[in-house]
Amino acid sequence: MADAFKAAGNKAFAAKDFTEAVEQFSKAIEAEPSNHVLYSNRSGAYASLKDYTHALEDAEKTTELKPDWSKGWSRKGGALHGQGDLVEAMDAFEEALKLDASNAQAKSGKDSVQRAIDAEAKGAGGDPMGGLGNMFNDPQMIPKLAKNPKTSGLLADPSFMNKLQNLRNNPSSMGQELGDPRMLQVMSVLLGIDMSMGDPGSMGDKAAGGKVEEEEGEDVPMPDARPSSRPPPKRELTPEPEPEDEEAAAKKKAKAEADEEKRLGTEQYKKRQFDSAITHYDKAWSLHHDITYLTNKSAAQFEKADYESAIATCKEAITEGREMLADFKIIAKAFGRIGSAYEKLGDLPNAIDNYQRSLTEHRTPDTLNKLRAAEKAKLTAEKDAYINPSEAEKARELGNAKFKDADWPAAVDAYSEMTKRAPTDPRGYSNRAACLIKLLTFPAAVSDCDAALALDPTFIRAYLRKAQAYFAMREYSRCMDVCAEASTQDKDGKNAREISQQEQKALQAQFQSQEGESEEETMKRIQRDPEIVGMLQDPVMQSILQQAKSDPKALQDHMKDPRVA
């Protein structure tokens, strides 16, 4: 992560987008706060923005982290120069040269500070331009300008000659006259340098060859803090990149070696040589810390059924990954693998917990499906673990006792316990339905009867209780249908009398409820009965009823058809 941000910062610096460079180097520092090169790079970016206060803070942090690094002191010298503290800047550059006498940046910075000190000393005598105004008092000025083809033509301009004369008499007016680009040509000839080389503030970039190499450990160039009072002599510059930091180079080499070990480990993994793969992943981790090496290792341990080791490795990957701000997707994968390992070990609560943690980091369909399957398996396992026939019988007996005592709620609780202890015994549901009828909770009673009949379709007592519930709900048609179904299941006729009594009772109640009702009330009742409504919506039945309106005898003929009757 830090390397990627640093590379982006170097790229932005090379493009002279110093604000973006500061932002990228700051992100890199958040990821790797102990890397002195990152503070050095950001110091250079701040200096390029002329923000010498922050540049100095980062430079001091650089020297604090690595006091024996010459470049850090060069950064400090440049920032101090920018703030105008020439004495401290000189001390910093001298410290840099003590550590590395070949540090070209420190040499250049020291020379620049020395020139500034000399200029200040001369400026104290009254020349605000630091002595540059004296060049116009040179007796050989006019001959020099006349000999040079760049300036010889300027001498024919009377107004320009007046400016030169004015500068000779009043050197302090030089700042006003520098707005004339011809003056730069004159100064270039008189000083013997090329004044077209640009803003001295960009010298740090030129000294680095005008670009920043984007290799690891590369330190961005430091611009001169302030324009020197006297431009340096013209010299040829070679675009040589700064030497790569030794620590960064070693880190890059270790990363390459670790990736090679990872590749070898993956090859062994595909061949199902898991022990060999684990050895390669361990070596990769020892060379360079990247948590993908650990997650790959845990995959090999998982495949060889060493689930405890896979869990431990994934936990290590998560801990290390948090510290190095690793990709949340890799963290999520580690949590998911821990969940799978716990599931293999039969520890469903821990499996569910880690699946949920994985989804918190990164939501994927695969992990979500694993979580749902684990939750379902846990619920089934809990139900299976609770099954106990002897305890179910105790609960049934308790329910019977409570029923006889007319303690219906307590009886419901006892029969509910029975259904949990013996979920395949239909008596628990049927008995609970009887209690619910007493409590006037008829729909729930019907549901319990349906559950009992699903377990045993020949359980007549469940049919009778369902019929009682429908009767109490004044669903007389349904009550009679249930009685008819019960008669079909009563093969030996032991319950025929009770079934018939319930059926007759429902039929009588239906006739009484319909007696004396108006045609409008009849239509409303029909519309409330979904079975009758369904029949009336049948195209065949609609045709029969339409025919019966004109020929009542035809209805009698249709009723002889068993499919219609």
Side-chain angles (χ1 to χ4, degrees):
M1 295 286 287
D3 291 340
F5 288 132
K6 183 170 71 173
N10 288 343
K11 184 176 180 181
F13 192 97
K16 298 192 182 300
D17 187 353
F18 304 119
T19 302
E20 176 66 16
V22 167
E23 183 177 346
Q24 293 300 326
F25 289 140
S26 297
K27 291 179 180 178
I29 288 171
E30 288 180 10
E32 194 174 345
S34 61
N35 190 330
H36 62 283
V37 174
L38 300 178
Y39 289 99
S40 176
N41 285 6
R42 191 170 68 176
S43 176
Y46 275 131
S48 297
L49 292 170
K50 310 302 180 186
D51 185 354
Y52 298 112
T53 300
H54 286 101
L56 180 58
E57 290 176 1
D58 278 349
E60 289 179 337
K61 183 66 175 180
T62 303
T63 58
E64 176 187 333
L65 291 172
K66 195 170 179 62
D68 60 344
W69 194 42
S70 175
K71 190 167 294 183
W73 292 97
S74 295
R75 292 289 191 215
K76 185 174 180 179
L80 288 166
H81 188 188
Q83 290 186 331
D85 192 344
L86 301 179
V87 175
E88 291 293 331
M90 180 63 75
D91 291 343
F93 283 126
E94 287 179 349
E95 182 65 25
L97 292 171
K98 286 180 184 178
L99 295 170
D100 182 7
S102 63
N103 187 335
Q105 185 177 356
K107 290 179 180 178
S108 174
K110 181 181 177 182
D111 291 343
S112 179
V113 171
Q114 186 61 57
R115 287 194 299 271
I117 292 173
D118 293 343
E120 283 191 1
K122 292 180 180 179
D127 185 358
M129 297 308 294
L132 285 178
N134 292 330
M135 73 176 77
F136 295 100
N137 291 320
D138 184 358
Q140 298 299 318
M141 178 181 71
I142 299 299
K144 286 182 181 179
L145 296 179
K147 291 179 181 179
N148 194 294
K150 292 183 179 180
T151 56
S152 59
L154 301 177
L155 301 180
D157 185 348
S159 63
F160 186 73
M161 291 298 293
N162 288 335
K163 288 185 178 182
L164 290 178
Q165 187 62 36
N166 181 45
L167 286 173
R168 175 175 290 181
N169 298 330
N170 185 16
S172 62
S173 64
M174 181 178 176
Q176 300 174 2
E177 302 296 347
L178 285 179
D180 188 341
R182 296 176 295 178
M183 281 298 174
L184 293 178
Q185 292 181 347
V186 170
M187 292 175 65
S188 176
V189 172
L190 296 178
L191 293 174
I193 61 173
D194 185 1
M195 295 295 288
S196 65
M197 61 187 300
D199 181 10
S202 64
M203 284 182 61
D205 293 344
K206 293 179 179 295
K211 63 178 181 179
V212 180
E213 295 293 330
E214 296 183 20
E215 300 184 15
E216 275 190 20
E218 185 67 25
D219 193 21
V220 298
M222 182 73 172
D224 275 355
R226 299 185 176 205
S228 60
S229 59
R230 187 178 296 275
K234 182 178 178 181
R235 58 194 180 109
E236 294 296 326
L237 300 175
T238 56
E240 296 181 1
E242 295 184 35
E244 189 173 38
D245 181 46
E246 293 181 4
E247 181 182 349
K251 184 177 178 181
K252 183 177 180 181
K253 180 181 178 182
K255 178 70 166 62
E257 293 176 356
D259 285 341
E260 177 62 19
E261 290 294 334
K262 175 188 174 184
R263 185 188 66 78
L264 295 173
T266 302
E267 287 182 358
Q268 294 300 309
Y269 178 90
K270 291 177 180 179
K271 296 177 182 178
R272 303 193 68 79
Q273 301 296 321
F274 300 122
D275 289 329
S276 178
I278 291 171
T279 300
H280 284 294
Y281 291 137
D282 280 335
K283 188 171 182 181
W285 177 253
S286 67
L287 291 169
H288 178 75
H289 281 200
D290 184 334
I291 65 168
T292 56
Y293 306 150
L294 294 179
T295 55
N296 285 9
K297 175 185 174 182
S298 70
Q301 292 168 330
F302 185 90
E303 289 297 328
K304 63 178 290 190
D306 188 0
Y307 303 121
E308 294 288 356
S309 296
I311 291 170
T313 301
C314 285
K315 287 182 177 179
E316 182 185 0
I318 292 168
T319 301
E320 294 286 347
R322 297 285 194 212
E323 292 180 0
M324 62 180 66
L325 301 177
D327 189 342
F328 57 85
K329 293 180 181 179
I330 303 178
I331 301 292
K333 184 181 291 185
F335 273 122
R337 187 158 291 143
I338 291 175
S340 297
Y342 274 125
E343 190 169 0
K344 288 289 186 180
L345 292 171
D347 189 348
L348 291 174
N350 269 323
I352 291 171
D353 177 63
N354 281 279
Y355 285 142
Q356 290 172 338
R357 290 173 183 268
S358 176
L359 291 172
T360 300
E361 296 290 333
H362 180 56
R363 196 171 184 85
T364 62
D366 180 60
T367 304
L368 183 60
N369 291 335
K370 288 181 178 180
L371 172 62
R372 289 172 177 170
E375 289 175 335
K376 185 176 180 181
K378 180 175 178 286
L379 184 61
T380 301
E382 289 174 348
K383 288 182 177 179
D384 291 345
Y386 202 69
I387 294 174
N388 189 322
S390 62
E391 292 295 326
E393 185 59 26
K394 291 178 183 179
R396 189 181 72 83
E397 291 173 357
L398 177 61
N400 291 343
K402 296 296 182 181
F403 189 89
K404 290 177 181 179
D405 294 338
D407 188 354
W408 319 122
V412 168
D413 291 339
Y415 291 133
S416 296
E417 179 68 12
M418 179 186 175
T419 60
K420 295 176 183 177
R421 294 289 188 179
T424 59
D425 189 338
R427 294 178 298 171
Y429 300 100
S430 178
N431 290 359
R432 186 169 66 180
C435 298
L436 293 172
I437 290 172
K438 294 294 184 180
L439 292 169
L440 307 182
T441 313
F442 305 120
V446 171
S447 297
D448 269 356
C449 291
D450 288 337
L453 294 172
L455 295 169
D456 184 4
T458 64
F459 192 17
I460 303 302
R461 181 56 51 191
Y463 284 112
L464 291 172
R465 285 172 177 158
K466 184 177 180 180
Q468 289 174 13
Y470 276 133
F471 184 84
M473 295 166 67
R474 298 184 181 181
E475 298 280 353
Y476 303 123
S477 296
R478 292 186 176 184
C479 177
M480 288 186 287
D481 290 342
V482 172
C483 290
E485 192 173 353
S487 297
T488 303
Q489 297 293 339
D490 189 20
K491 305 296 183 181
D492 52 9
K494 291 181 179 181
N495 300 284
R497 181 179 177 184
E498 190 174 359
I499 295 170
S500 178
Q501 287 177 348
Q502 182 64 56
E503 189 173 18
Q504 289 298 321
K505 186 178 178 182
L507 184 60
Q508 184 178 2
Q510 187 177 43
F511 282 133
Q512 288 177 352
S513 66
Q514 296 174 7
E515 185 177 358
E517 69 179 10
S518 64
E519 183 176 350
E520 183 179 355
E521 291 174 337
T522 302
M523 290 302 298
K524 289 182 179 180
R525 175 174 56 78
I526 290 173
Q527 290 174 358
R528 289 195 301 270
D529 191 327
E531 186 175 355
I532 296 176
V533 172
M535 292 173 60
L536 294 177
Q537 290 177 346
D538 186 347
V540 176
M541 184 59 67
Q542 289 179 355
S543 176
I544 291 172
L545 293 175
Q546 189 67 28
Q547 186 178 3
K549 288 182 180 180
S550 58
D551 186 5
K553 185 179 178 181
L555 183 59
Q556 296 179 359
D557 295 335
H558 283 300
M559 291 301 294
K560 294 177 183 179
D561 187 343
R563 294 175 298 176
V564 177

